[in-house]
Amino acid sequence: MLSIFRSIPTHMDYKGQKLAEQIFQGIILVSAIIGFIYGYMTEQFGWTVYIVMAGFALSCLLTLPPWPMYRRNPLRWLPVQESGTEEKKPADRKPKRHAKS
């Protein structure tokens, strides 16, 4: 049973995060405007709240799961370099200068 959950991808690339943020903000903004106008016309503040909550639920459904549209631009990592990565010995390093106050 746990292997099913482990096979679900849980990452999102940086461009996907930006897209998700834009979608989230757009849906919230549009639902707030529609909710305000409808609530003003019907003179019921409750309808405004319901419409904004429905927009929030829709935006959560569209942006929280890592849908494939948010994973189109994966990062290309450099390969690990084995040679030339020797660390300097502590004696080889220059001592740090502290600023005088």
Side-chain angles (χ1 to χ4, degrees):
M1 181 73 175
L2 290 176
S3 63
I4 294 172
F5 292 118
R6 289 183 185 155
S7 67
I8 298 172
T10 58
H11 64 280
M12 192 183 292
D13 59 43
Y14 290 117
K15 289 184 181 180
Q17 289 176 3
K18 182 179 178 182
L19 176 63
E21 180 70 22
Q22 290 172 341
I23 291 172
F24 177 79
Q25 289 180 358
I27 291 174
I28 294 294
L29 180 66
V30 168
S31 68
I33 291 170
I34 292 171
F36 178 77
I37 291 171
Y38 187 75
Y40 184 78
M41 290 173 52
T42 60
E43 297 179 1
Q44 293 289 322
F45 182 71
W47 278 107
T48 301
V49 173
Y50 294 144
I51 291 172
V52 171
M53 287 173 53
F56 177 75
L58 177 66
S59 65
C60 286
L61 180 68
L62 291 177
T63 59
L64 288 180
W67 299 109
M69 66 182 174
Y70 301 132
R71 293 184 273 129
R72 290 183 182 164
N73 302 303
L75 291 176
R76 304 284 186 244
W77 294 96
L78 293 175
V80 176
Q81 295 179 354
E82 295 297 328
S83 61
T85 59
E86 298 174 5
E87 292 189 29
K88 292 183 179 181
K89 296 178 185 176
D92 294 342
R93 286 192 239 159
K94 292 182 181 178
K96 293 182 180 178
R97 289 187 166 178
H98 296 287
K100 294 181 181 178
S101 358

